[in-house]
Amino acid sequence: MGLLEKYIKQCRKPSGGLGRFIGRSMNFGHSGIRCWGIGHVSIKPAGYILDVGCGGGKAVSELASSCPYGKVFGIDYSEDMVELSKKVNRKYIAKGIVEILHGSVSSLPFKDNFFDLVTAFETYYFWPDLINDLKEIKRVLKPGGKLLLVNEVYKDDKFEKRNSKWVEMLNMHYHSPGEYNEFLKKAGYHIVEINNNPKKNWIAAVAQK
Ligand SMILES: C[S@@+](CC[C@H](N)C(=O)[O-])C[C@H]1O[C@@H](n2cnc3c(N)ncnc32)[C@H](O)[C@@H]1O
């Protein structure tokens, strides 16, 4: 396996030294899309928020800075990302407003109706059972709570060629805006908005329980 392929394959579940490097790179490299994505929801200063597939933990810190009276949880199935996220968020963890957990989107260690907002940046492509995983997120959302899915790749003819090689390498599933609409509805959500940036091939979908 070449270095590029090794690097790309790590995005699915970053681990070891290379994984930690990738986690830190994503903290930096995803800042533009994170900022654009978060702009599609309002953050309650005393809200309860979960970031699924939190990777290097930068989204958790950014959410926590807007949520000083609430609590932000991050969860990731890579133990190395959990450790990195804990490091990146140590200031907020010490204040008691952030908690990072090891676990999968398919079985979230939270009670029903707990969160005001669940975010997922650049991770849904890898979930093992999309509809059931979205239903699991819906379970932990409060009635009226929102899910924000933000991704820097969506299915679009213009980008098909550019993306196809690494989409295949990562065995990731990705969708068109119309398909987001369908799968979110199938999982039982009301669609609030599906925004895409055709120049960048970015997408932010907001759905409500
Ligand atoms: C491409 S990285 C994105 C990380 C971070 N959200 C960001 O935007 O920088 C995908 C992350 O999702 C995590 N992940 C993938 N599948 C997961 C699952 N089934 N449950 C929990 N985390 C998962 C990976 O371990 C990885 O940290």
Side-chain angles (χ1 to χ4, degrees):
M1 198 190 298
L3 193 62
L4 179 68
E5 192 171 352
K6 248 191 204 161
Y7 184 95
I8 288 177
K9 284 199 164 155
Q10 276 276 336
C11 297
R12 200 179 179 92
K13 190 176 188 180
S15 63
L18 181 59
R20 284 190 291 278
F21 172 74
I22 286 170
R24 287 197 185 276
S25 310
M26 291 190 293
N27 276 349
F28 176 72
H30 291 165
S31 63
I33 191 164
R34 256 194 329 267
C35 177
W36 176 77
I38 290 175
H40 292 94
V41 286
S42 55
I43 311 291
K44 295 181 188 166
Y48 272 66
I49 303 177
L50 170 65
D51 184 41
V52 176
C54 61
K58 197 67 186 154
V60 171
S61 324
E62 288 169 359
L63 291 163
S65 71
S66 303
C67 192
Y69 311 113
K71 189 148 185 176
V72 183
F73 292 80
I75 193 163
D76 203 290
Y77 74 166
S78 157
E79 288 183 19
D80 288 319
M81 289 304 96
V82 169
E83 287 317 306
L84 177 57
S85 273
K86 282 184 181 170
K87 245 189 211 166
V88 166
N89 285 285
R90 57 187 175 276
K91 177 179 93 184
Y92 292 113
I93 291 173
K95 282 186 185 165
I97 59 171
V98 161
E99 209 172 304
I100 307 291
L101 301 170
H102 179 237
S104 163
V105 64
S106 307
S107 176
L108 295 169
F110 303 104
K111 58 184 184 188
D112 297 358
N113 307 318
F114 190 63
F115 291 104
D116 298 285
L117 174 68
V118 176
T119 57
F121 299 90
E122 294 286 294
T123 181
Y124 97 105
Y125 317 110
F126 309 119
W127 296 350
D129 184 354
L130 184 58
I131 300 298
N132 281 320
D133 296 338
L134 288 168
K135 284 184 181 168
E136 174 63 357
I137 290 176
K138 189 156 69 68
R139 177 185 70 73
V140 302
L141 275 171
K142 291 178 184 167
K146 287 181 181 162
L147 165 66
L148 171 68
L149 288 180
V150 181
N151 298 299
E152 61 184 357
V153 182
Y154 66 86
K155 209 191 271 172
D156 172 308
D157 292 346
K158 193 172 139 207
F159 287 90
E160 203 65 30
K161 208 164 169 216
R162 187 194 79 174
N163 295 330
S164 60
K165 196 162 177 219
W166 56 279
V167 163
E168 195 187 304
M169 267 188 213
L170 274 168
N171 187 23
M172 58 193 260
H173 40 245
Y174 71 139
H175 301 86
S176 67
E179 288 168 334
Y180 271 73
N181 195 61
E182 280 166 30
F183 70 63
L184 285 164
K185 278 190 182 155
K186 198 167 170 194
Y189 290 85
H190 303 286
I191 309 299
V192 177
E193 48 178 330
I194 296 177
N195 298 280
N196 55 315
N197 178 329
K199 268 197 185 154
K200 298 199 164 175
N201 198 220
W202 288 357
I203 187 160
V206 184
Q208 190 165 31
K209 175 168 173 180

